[in-house]
């Protein structure tokens, strides 16, 4: 993949920087290992440190001092996995923070708007994770 920050050969190992950092692995070690791209988790970054803090720091690359490529996911897996804290609607999902119980919403527009100033190399736009125990219409609708 030819990306603005570098060319990333695929398939690629993509370390996960849940909240903007790969736990227990210093950045110089990641660079020396040849990590070309890091995955940032939108759900966790949105809640802490927050999208405004990342914007004020000049985007996710500057916030975490990572000069190479970044992918931000949609946050969908975390919202799906915290099923007791969320309500899926036709517009998106409303959920309560696992940190403090505050109420939040993710829609496609909201995801695009608050991640835009983060300036990730690329962003996974949105996911829909149907409950596999549901009858056929729900999983089919999620994949449409």
């Amino acid at each position: 993949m030819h990306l603005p920050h570098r060319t990333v050969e695929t398939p690629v190992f993509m370390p996960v920087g849940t909240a903007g950092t790969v736990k227990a692995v210093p950045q110089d070690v990641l660079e020396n290992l040849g990590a070309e791209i890091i995955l940032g988790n939108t759900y966790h970054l949105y809640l802490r440190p927050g999208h405004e803090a990342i914007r004020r720091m000049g985007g996710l690359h500057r916030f975490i001092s990572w000069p190479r490529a970044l992918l931000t996911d949609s946050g969908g897996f975390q919202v799906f996995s915290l099923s007791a804290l969320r309500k899926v609607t036709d517009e998106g999902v409303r959920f309560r923070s696992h940190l403090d119980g505050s109420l939040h919403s993710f829609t496609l527009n909201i995801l695009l708007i608050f991640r835009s100033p983060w300036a990730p190399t690329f962003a996974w736009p949105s996911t829909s994770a149907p409950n596999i125990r549901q009858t056929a219409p729900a999983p089919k609708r999620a994949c449409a």
Side-chain angles (χ1 to χ4, degrees):
M1 294 182 293
H2 298 288
L3 303 169
H5 292 88
R6 70 184 302 120
T7 296
V8 176
E9 298 297 324
T10 59
V12 63
F13 172 69
M14 189 180 313
V16 176
T18 299
T21 184
V22 178
K23 293 180 181 167
V25 184
Q27 183 171 321
D28 64 321
V29 172
L30 286 173
E31 291 174 1
N32 290 336
L33 289 171
E36 299 177 30
I37 187 168
I38 291 177
L39 173 93
N41 185 283
T42 294
Y43 172 85
H44 291 287
L45 289 165
Y46 171 81
L47 293 176
R48 185 178 49 197
H51 63 285
E52 282 299 316
I54 295 169
R55 183 194 58 77
R56 283 193 309 272
M57 289 295 295
L60 194 52
H61 283 93
R62 287 193 61 206
F63 183 76
I64 67 171
S65 299
W66 181 253
R68 298 177 183 183
L70 284 168
L71 166 79
T72 55
D73 69 0
S74 70
F77 175 79
Q78 283 72 29
V79 170
F80 176 75
S81 66
L82 298 168
S83 61
L85 302 174
R86 59 123 165 106
K87 170 76 173 146
V88 177
T89 69
D90 287 341
E91 292 78 36
V93 63
R94 290 188 312 270
F95 63 94
R96 295 208 172 269
S97 164
H98 71 285
L99 300 171
D100 63 8
S102 57
L103 188 61
H104 303 273
S105 293
F106 278 177
T107 65
L108 182 56
N109 285 344
I110 288 171
L111 288 170
L112 293 174
I113 289 167
F114 76 70
R115 285 189 297 177
S116 206
W118 295 4
T121 308
F122 59 105
W124 200 258
S126 170
T127 55
S128 179
N131 181 340
I132 60 171
R133 294 184 182 102
Q134 289 179 321
T135 58
K140 284 181 181 177
R141 198 171 45 251
C143 297

